[in-house]
Amino acid sequence: MKAIGIYYTTADIKSLFGWSSDDTISRRQASGFLPPPDIPGRPNKWLKANIDALIEDMTTTTEKDEA
């Protein structure tokens, strides 16, 4: 089943996290930090809502650590 919504591409993901290579994306997926893409057969499409939630969680965790 195809997830419906707005997607980030590999280039968007690299820009958001400040990563410079596709290898970093592969390593982050292997480590479990970055979820697999949301469209089977399209290795460069992540639902925007899922990535935004990941960023929000990172921000919340950082704020708690600083408090």
Side-chain angles (χ1 to χ4, degrees), residues 7-55:
Y7 294 89
Y8 281 129
T9 64
T10 300
D12 297 327
I13 297 292
K14 290 190 314 190
S15 177
L16 284 167
F17 292 104
W19 300 338
S20 59
S21 75
D22 292 347
D23 288 342
T24 302
I25 289 178
S26 297
R27 287 192 308 272
R28 296 297 180 147
Q29 285 178 311
S31 74
F33 173 78
L34 186 65
D38 291 296
I39 301 178
R42 298 289 306 264
N44 66 338
K45 298 286 184 180
W46 288 265
L47 273 172
K48 184 179 183 303
N50 292 347
I51 300 303
D52 289 348
L54 177 64
I55 292 169

Side-chain angles (χ1 to χ4, degrees), residues 55-67:
I55 292 169
E56 178 67 26
D57 185 51
M58 287 174 45
T59 304
T60 302
T61 300
T62 302
E63 289 171 355
K64 287 180 184 176
D65 291 343
E66 292 175 352

